[in-house]
Amino acid sequence: GGADAGKEEEDGVPGGPRKKKVVILLSANRSQTIGVLLSHLKIPHEDFRRAIMTLDTRTLQPNFVIQLMRLLPTDQEVAALQSYTGPKEDLGTAERFLFELLCIPRLKPRLQCFVFILEFNARLHDLSENVEVFSYAVHDIQRCKSLIKVIEIVLALGNYLNGQGPKGGAHGFKLEFLTKLADTKTSDNKSTLLHYLVTWIERNDKELITFPQELSNVEIGAKVSENMVDEISKFKKDIKFIYEEMNRPYYKSNAKNDPCGAKLEQFYHTAYNDMEVLEANKKKALAMYKDLSKLYGEEEAKPDEFMTYIHQFAQTFKEAYNENQRKREEEERVRTRREAFLKSMAEREAKAEDRKKARLKRGDKPPPEPRKDTAVPRPKDPAAGRRDP
């Protein structure tokens, strides 16, 4: 909102004693937004200004400083505040607050540095953890010899199915192909190539079935690797910004009355060392990935793509195995029910036969068979034998 320069509001009741005039330089909407932020600030404006000047990380929370950066005065508001010459006490609450802010030299870059310092430890922890998880995922794939064997079986299976055709006799395939095995239906349309692969492995090389369990870090490794390099680059850029800011001539010439430059310098040395360790770990992890992708013939694949293909294959393989198990269990249940039914039928027939034999042994006559030609007696006509009068 624009500044409503010079607008005055009177406190007090009409006809009563006149109270001091409140000078409003901001729009009502702007004043309200700043008022909401200030309601969370439990310290006087002077103390707040001092906390910003000295980068006091104990007094101010990261969220507050981030919100404050979004509320910095516009050029129009700066002009209105700077042209005001009356008593500071006559200004509205929001105006007095912005007035205090404008007294801080290099306000915006100072706040940018402040936010970075406040968030530094959390960001460093997250980025270090991402590099670590990515390294674990690379290790998982490197160590999983079963995965290589399963891929060799897929290649042999593909070459067998393609026979002497142009696609037969292949020396390898792209990892993406593994994610499409579930889409390739069998000739009877009841199963897929993936389910067939699982069945074949169960019968011929059963210890390979559990290979997905060896790749527990790959899913999260794929997620973190997507933005890992970009996020670390941005982190380095923010540290460089601290370096450039602390070397500004302003801080050199005002070192006595503005401690910010010295604080930035002190922070920078610690942050730079932490960043060097993070960068070294990242390079090591990416070098390991490069060797791994070369082994799989996927040098061009981005880490997140490479790991997603492997995770998806492991996941669908596990699902296909479970589906095969369920199908077998269902077939077993049907077979058991059928056998139980046939057995009970056979038992009933055997009992009937035993009863028949027992009767014959006792010399009992079998119950007479109902005669098929037996005439059914007709009901008598009620009128028969009656004489008409």
Side-chain angles (χ1 to χ4, degrees):
D4 299 336
K7 188 177 171 187
E8 295 185 356
E9 290 183 5
E10 287 186 13
D11 287 345
V13 183
R18 289 170 67 85
K19 291 191 178 179
K20 67 167 183 153
K21 291 176 181 178
V22 177
V23 180
I24 304 295
L25 302 173
L26 306 175
S27 69
N29 187 34
R30 192 85 162 101
S31 291
Q32 188 183 4
T33 311
I34 292 170
V36 169
L37 179 69
L38 292 178
S39 67
H40 299 290
L41 188 65
K42 307 297 181 195
I43 56 171
H45 297 174
E46 275 288 337
D47 294 351
F48 170 76
R49 183 166 70 90
R50 201 174 296 113
I52 297 277
M53 285 288 288
T54 59
L55 302 182
D56 183 354
T57 52
R58 286 164 304 181
T59 304
L60 301 173
Q61 296 303 308
N63 286 347
F64 184 87
V65 183
I66 290 164
Q67 282 180 290
L68 178 63
M69 283 189 71
R70 295 188 191 124
L71 294 178
L72 289 180
T74 61
D75 292 344
Q76 202 179 350
E77 287 166 350
V78 169
L81 287 160
Q82 285 178 343
S83 62
Y84 174 73
T85 53
K88 197 164 69 169
E89 302 78 44
D90 289 356
L91 288 171
T93 310
E95 283 77 4
R96 281 205 307 278
F97 178 70
L98 290 187
F99 208 89
E100 288 290 346
L101 283 184
L102 289 178
C103 296
I104 301 172
R106 301 196 57 77
L107 176 62
K108 193 176 177 181
R110 193 185 294 247
L111 287 175
Q112 281 174 286
C113 291
F114 204 174
V115 171
F116 181 68
I117 291 168
L118 289 166
E119 294 181 334
F120 178 80
N121 286 335
R123 274 178 76 184
L124 177 68
H125 175 267
D126 288 349
L127 292 172
S128 302
E129 209 168 59
N130 288 354
V131 172
E132 197 174 0
V133 168
F134 177 65
S135 300
Y136 288 155
V138 173
H139 272 302
D140 279 1
I141 301 167
Q142 274 178 338
R143 284 195 295 255
C144 190
K145 304 303 176 198
S146 303
L147 176 62
I148 298 277
K149 286 181 183 175
V150 171
I151 288 172
E152 285 169 357
I153 294 166
V154 173
L155 180 63
L157 192 58
N159 282 334
Y160 174 75
L161 292 172
N162 290 322
Q164 299 301 313
K167 291 183 179 178
H171 296 293
F173 55 82
K174 288 289 177 188
L175 280 179
E176 190 180 3
F177 174 68
L178 292 173
T179 64
K180 294 176 180 173
L181 293 178
D183 303 331
T184 311
K185 300 284 182 188
T186 50
S187 55
D188 62 2
N189 230 25
K190 288 182 179 176
S191 189
T192 71
L193 186 54
L194 181 63
H195 290 79
Y196 177 79
L197 170 72
V198 172
T199 305
W200 191 94
I201 289 173
E202 276 187 284
R203 287 176 188 158
N204 300 283
D205 213 342
K206 198 159 186 181
E207 74 273 9
L208 298 181
I209 283 290
T210 55
F211 87 86
Q213 293 171 19
E214 297 172 43
L215 302 170
S216 58
N217 294 297
V218 176
E219 181 183 10
I220 190 144
K223 283 177 187 168
V224 302
S225 64
E226 192 177 350
N227 301 312
M228 182 181 78
V229 174
D230 289 345
E231 283 171 358
I232 291 173
S233 296
K234 190 180 180 308
F235 192 64
K236 285 165 69 178
K237 211 170 164 184
D238 289 342
I239 290 175
K240 191 183 175 193
F241 180 78
I242 298 273
Y243 177 78
E244 287 168 356
E245 188 60 20
M246 75 190 201
N247 283 309
R248 297 279 172 199
Y250 164 80
Y251 291 112
K252 301 294 176 192
S253 54
N254 290 279
K256 283 182 183 175
N257 51 16
D258 192 338
C260 182
K263 286 217 172 179
L264 288 178
E265 209 166 318
Q266 191 183 349
F267 169 78
Y268 172 77
H269 292 303
T270 311
Y272 183 82
N273 290 337
D274 289 335
M275 189 261 290
E276 286 281 277
V277 172
L278 177 66
E279 182 67 15
N281 290 340
K282 180 203 79 176
K283 281 181 178 170
K284 189 178 170 187
L286 289 175
M288 273 164 44
Y289 168 73
K290 195 177 176 184
D291 292 344
L292 180 68
S293 62
K294 199 173 178 182
L295 176 70
Y296 279 83
E298 292 280 358
E299 295 96 319
E300 300 302 311
K302 291 178 184 171
D304 59 302
E305 290 172 347
F306 179 90
M307 289 187 177
T308 300
Y309 292 147
I310 287 178
H311 167 66
Q312 281 179 357
F313 173 57
Q315 198 65 21
T316 52
F317 184 94
K318 195 161 63 175
E319 285 163 12
Y321 172 73
N322 291 337
E323 281 162 16
N324 280 357
Q325 291 286 94
R326 282 195 293 272
K327 194 177 172 186
R328 274 199 290 272
E329 284 164 10
E330 183 56 32
E331 285 169 357
E332 183 61 28
R333 277 195 292 271
V334 169
R335 190 181 63 78
T336 306
R337 281 199 297 267
R338 190 167 176 275
E339 282 178 1
F341 173 73
L342 292 173
K343 189 180 175 187
S344 87
M345 288 294 289
E347 283 171 357
R348 279 166 68 183
E349 283 174 16
K351 281 176 185 174
E353 191 63 32
D354 289 347
R355 283 197 296 271
K356 193 175 176 184
K357 283 177 184 173
R359 277 198 303 271
L360 291 170
K361 201 173 181 184
R362 290 199 303 268
D364 294 349
K365 287 181 182 178
E369 296 270 340
R371 284 174 59 188
K372 287 177 184 172
D373 58 346
T374 306
V376 180
R378 289 181 182 176
K380 288 182 181 179
D381 185 352
R386 260 192 341 201
R387 286 183 185 174
D388 293 329

